[in-house]
Amino acid sequence: MKRKLIAAVGVTALTAALAACGDDGSGGGGGGDSDSLTVWLMDGSAPQPWVDELTAAFEEEHGVTVNVEIQQWDGIQDRLTTALSEDGTVDVLELGNTQTVGYANTGGLAELSELADEPWSPNMLESAQIDDTLYAVPWYGANRVVIYDRGLWEEAGAEVPTTRDEWIAALELIAENTEAEPIYLPGQSYYVMGGFVADEGGAFAVEDGEEWTGSLATPEAEAGMEFYARLQEFSSAPSDIDEAEPQQSVDIVPNQEIASWIGLGWEAAGAIAAIEEAGGEADFGYFPVPGKTADQLGNVFLGGSNLAISERAGNPEMAREFLRLATSQEFAQKFVDANGDGVVPNRTDVVAEPEPGSFAEAMVASADVGFLPPLTTGWANVETEPNPIKELMTKAINGEDYQAAAEEADAEITTRINRE
C-alpha cells in the first residue's frame, strides 16, 4: 500500500515519523528467540511516543524484548512475501488493508479467531477476514475529503455543499466569480471515481461463483463515471494522469490558484507546508465528499492498515499477546489521541474527537460510508500499469463510447483479477 496511492490504498501521514526501536528497517534481525519479539511497522504509521509506551508496557509485563523494525512502502510486497515464507523472520507485522486477504490466501498469516469478538469497526473488519475467519485485526483507517480554499470560496459566494447538486452549484459560482480553477481533479483518480460508483450501488468487480468479473459495463458504474466527468469539467488537469504524478498536494496546489481538491490528511499537511515554505499562508477548510442526498454522505475509499501474525512466527504466543495489547481499547484510544492528523478508529469503543473544522472531523464523518476494492489476491494485478480502470476513465472523459470502453476494461479486469 504505497503512500502515494492512498491513496490508491491509502493512509494518512501521521504527525510523527516512526523511528526504529530495533534496526534500520532493512529487513535484518528476526524472531525466533523466546525472550524477544520482532515487529514490522511501516514508515510513518505510528507516533514514536505511542510505540515507546506500548513496547515499555509489554516488556514490563512479559519480560520480552520488542524489536520494532521499520519498513518502507517501496518494495514491501517482495519483502513481505519473503519474510512470510521463512521461519522466525517476523512475528507481528503491519499490512495495508488491501494486501491482507492476499497474504492470508497464500497461507502466510496465522488465524486470530480468539480476537474475533472484539468490537472492531465493521467497515475495517471486512479487509481482515476471509469467510468470517480472522487473519488480521484492524489498526487504523483513513479516507479522502474535499479540501478547499476558504478565501476563494468566500470571494465566489460559494457555501459548503451537503449534496452533489450543491457541490456542482458551488463550483459553478467559483468559475463565474473568480479566476481560480474550481477543482483540481485529474482524469485518472480512480479511487475517487470508485466512491461515486459505490454511491450508485456499483463496484469495480463482483464475485461470480468462485471467480471475479469486472463490472464497469453496468448502469451503476456508468452513472458514477458520469458524475466524475462532470466534476472533471471544472478542472484543467489532463485526462490521462492521476493525483500522484504530478503530486497534487506539493506540485500543483501550492503553485496554482486552486479553489478545491480531493485528498488525504498527509496531502493536506504537505500542501500547507509547501505553501508556507514559499512564504504564503494556507487557509484550508474541509468537508466530506457529498452524497446524492443530504442525509447520506458520498462513499469514499477507506484505506488503512491491519496488524497480523506470521504463520511462521518465531514466538507466536508472545506475538498474540503483543497484538492484543496494541489493539486493546486502552492503546487504540491512545493511538487515536496521539494522531493530530486524525485516523479512523479501529474499534467502536474508541472515541475520535477531532477539532471542529479540522481535516480529521471531515474524515471521521465519512468513515461509516467507506468502501473497499475487491478483497482478493488478484486485485493487485488490476492495479498494475496500464491500469484498465484508469484507461477507461480517460476514454470516457475524452468522449469515447462508454459501453464499448467499459466492456474492454471488464475483460481485462476479469483476466487479471483471477490470476494469482
Side-chain angles (χ1 to χ4, degrees), residues 106-183:
T106 60
L109 305 181
E111 289 188 23
L112 301 173
S113 300
E114 70 274 19
L115 296 175
D117 292 333
E118 294 294 311
W120 307 117
S121 169
N123 279 358
M124 296 172 67
L125 182 61
E126 184 181 354
S127 71
Q129 60 186 7
I130 301 175
D131 297 330
D132 296 326
T133 299
L134 202 64
Y135 288 93
V137 295
W139 190 20
Y140 66 86
N143 51 261
R144 293 172 176 81
V145 308
V146 182
I147 305 164
Y148 70 99
D149 185 304
R150 296 179 190 271
L152 288 171
W153 278 56
E154 183 177 353
E155 178 184 341
E159 297 182 355
V160 171
T162 61
T163 66
R164 282 188 184 181
D165 289 343
E166 291 177 1
W167 194 5
I168 295 296
L171 297 178
E172 289 173 341
L173 283 174
I174 294 166
E176 294 169 1
N177 298 322
T178 76
E179 297 299 318
E181 186 170 341
I183 186 170

Side-chain angles (χ1 to χ4, degrees), residues 289-347:
V289 172
K292 299 175 72 172
T293 60
D295 61 352
Q296 179 67 54
L297 292 173
N299 278 270
V300 288
F301 171 70
L302 183 60
S305 285
N306 298 325
L307 292 176
I309 295 174
S310 170
E311 179 65 21
R312 298 189 176 195
N315 199 341
E317 181 180 350
M318 285 295 100
R320 279 175 155 75
E321 292 302 317
F322 183 87
L323 194 64
R324 191 186 301 275
L325 182 63
T327 59
S328 65
Q329 194 279 335
E330 177 188 0
F331 275 93
Q333 184 67 64
K334 289 180 177 180
F335 185 82
V336 169
D337 294 343
N339 285 296
D341 297 66
V343 294
V344 177
N346 62 337
R347 301 170 59 105

Side-chain angles (χ1 to χ4, degrees), residues 99 236 269:
Q99 298 173 327
S236 62

Side-chain angles (χ1 to χ4, degrees), residues 76-99:
I76 189 58
Q77 299 269 19
D78 290 340
R79 293 198 301 279
L80 284 173
T81 299
T82 299
L84 292 174
S85 67
E86 299 174 341
D87 291 335
T89 299
V90 60
D91 297 299
V92 178
L93 64 156
E94 174 185 353
L95 295 168
N97 62 349
T98 61
Q99 298 173 327

Side-chain angles (χ1 to χ4, degrees), residues 354-366:
E355 295 183 9
S358 65
F359 181 97
E361 181 183 52
M363 181 184 68
V364 171
S366 296

